[in-house]
Amino acid sequence: AQSVSQHNHHVILSEAASLELGCNYSYGGTVNLFWYVQYPGQHLQLLLKYFSGDPLVKGIKGFEAEFIKSKFSFNLRKPSVQWSDTAEYFCAVTGRGYNKLIFGAGTRLAVHP
Amino acid sequence: NAGVTQTPKFRILKIGQSMTLQCTQDMNHNYMYWYRQDPGMGLKLIYYSVGAGITDKGEVPNGYNVSRSTTEDFPLRLELAAPSQTSVYFCASSYSGRDNEQFFGPGTRLTVL
């Protein structure tokens, strides 16, 4: 069965610090990969997605993620975080032709001014 | 477009009561989904539908029922509420299951006492 593992459950950073959130998945076939964000009191929104092509994907608000097939990883990065990035971040995967999104447990990010 | 809307936003049930969580989307999406979100657990798929009249179980379907009589609506029914069903419920939709972003509603916070 597919699964998604997010390494950090809670991350605390100061503004301007760099961010990297880990995501590993278990699925041997072709995958689609997503990062969703949930700001406090709001619903999930798509940050970025990878389907094929360039493994370095750029998303909204300065976020990017790199797909490393050999490591089954899709880590999320941002060079300089802001207080407004405080949110919970979810990595998700679906196999090509497989309709269901499998979510990781989420990483709660707190950015202090 | 309103996107995906859910009602109610909050609800408290007593054990054994029943209720229906409503979900409507106005994007003419074929696929619709119900998830539950529990702290530290990410989102778990309850049921999904690939079109009107077609539904299928997800990871955690026990205690729930769904129907899909129209493209727009995908209600989730709890017949005999149990404390284990205390959670936040999200409805989502996508144009198709493959290679497509899911759009989420604002969620329903349900407490069963």
Side-chain angles (χ1 to χ4, degrees):
Chain A
Q2 288 180 272
S3 65
V4 177
S5 174
Q6 292 183 240
H7 313 304
N8 311 99
H9 293 296
H10 291 93
V11 173
I12 301 173
L13 294 173
S14 297
E15 275 192 317
S18 64
L19 171 72
E20 181 159 4
L21 301 182
C23 173
N24 286 91
Y25 63 93
S26 66
Y27 182 67
T30 304
V31 293
N32 295 340
L33 295 154
F34 304 81
W35 275 98
Y36 281 86
V37 61
Q38 187 176 27
Y39 297 103
Q42 297 188 25
H43 58 280
L44 274 80
Q45 304 169 44
L46 183 70
L47 260 184
L48 48 78
K49 60 187 177 185
Y50 171 81
F51 291 161
S52 63
D54 188 343
L56 185 61
V57 180
K58 303 237 183 257
I60 60 171
K61 305 188 180 185
F63 285 91
E64 64 179 30
E66 185 175 13
F67 169 53
I68 303 179
K69 187 175 181 179
S70 61
K71 295 185 178 180
F72 297 90
S73 71
F74 190 54
N75 292 354
L76 181 71
R77 300 195 291 248
K78 186 170 183 178
S80 176
V81 294
Q82 300 172 315
W83 177 79
S84 58
D85 293 324
T86 294
E88 191 159 16
Y89 293 81
F90 295 93
C91 181
V93 62
T94 183
R96 201 171 289 280
Y98 184 66
N99 299 327
K100 307 167 193 176
L101 267 179
I102 305 297
F103 282 86
T107 297
R108 198 175 291 272
L109 171 66
V111 180
H112 293 181
Chain B
N1 285 353
V4 180
T5 57
Q6 292 182 237
T7 57
K9 285 189 168 50
F10 305 94
R11 184 72 184 268
I12 298 175
L13 286 182
K14 294 182 180 177
I15 294 172
Q17 286 186 317
S18 62
M19 77 164 293
T20 299
L21 282 67
Q22 301 292 346
C23 174
T24 300
Q25 54 90 9
D26 63 359
M27 297 175 281
N28 202 31
H29 284 170
N30 295 313
Y31 286 64
M32 297 187 74
Y33 313 81
W34 274 106
Y35 296 89
R36 59 176 288 171
Q37 183 184 25
D38 300 304
M41 302 290 289
L43 280 77
K44 301 291 185 185
L45 182 66
I46 304 171
Y47 270 94
Y48 70 104
S49 168
V50 302
I54 307 170
T55 63
D56 204 353
K57 295 177 181 179
E59 296 175 79
V60 290
N62 291 344
Y64 307 94
N65 279 300
V66 293
S67 59
R68 184 96 182 268
S69 56
T70 67
T71 300
E72 295 79 18
D73 301 305
F74 190 42
L76 178 72
R77 179 85 178 159
L78 283 72
E79 290 293 350
L80 291 169
S84 61
Q85 293 177 305
T86 294
S87 188
V88 181
Y89 292 83
F90 288 99
C91 180
S93 71
S94 64
Y95 180 68
S96 73
R98 296 169 56 177
D99 301 350
N100 261 255
E101 173 189 354
Q102 292 186 18
F103 292 83
F104 285 80
T108 294
R109 186 175 294 274
L110 175 67
T111 303
V112 182
L113 301 173

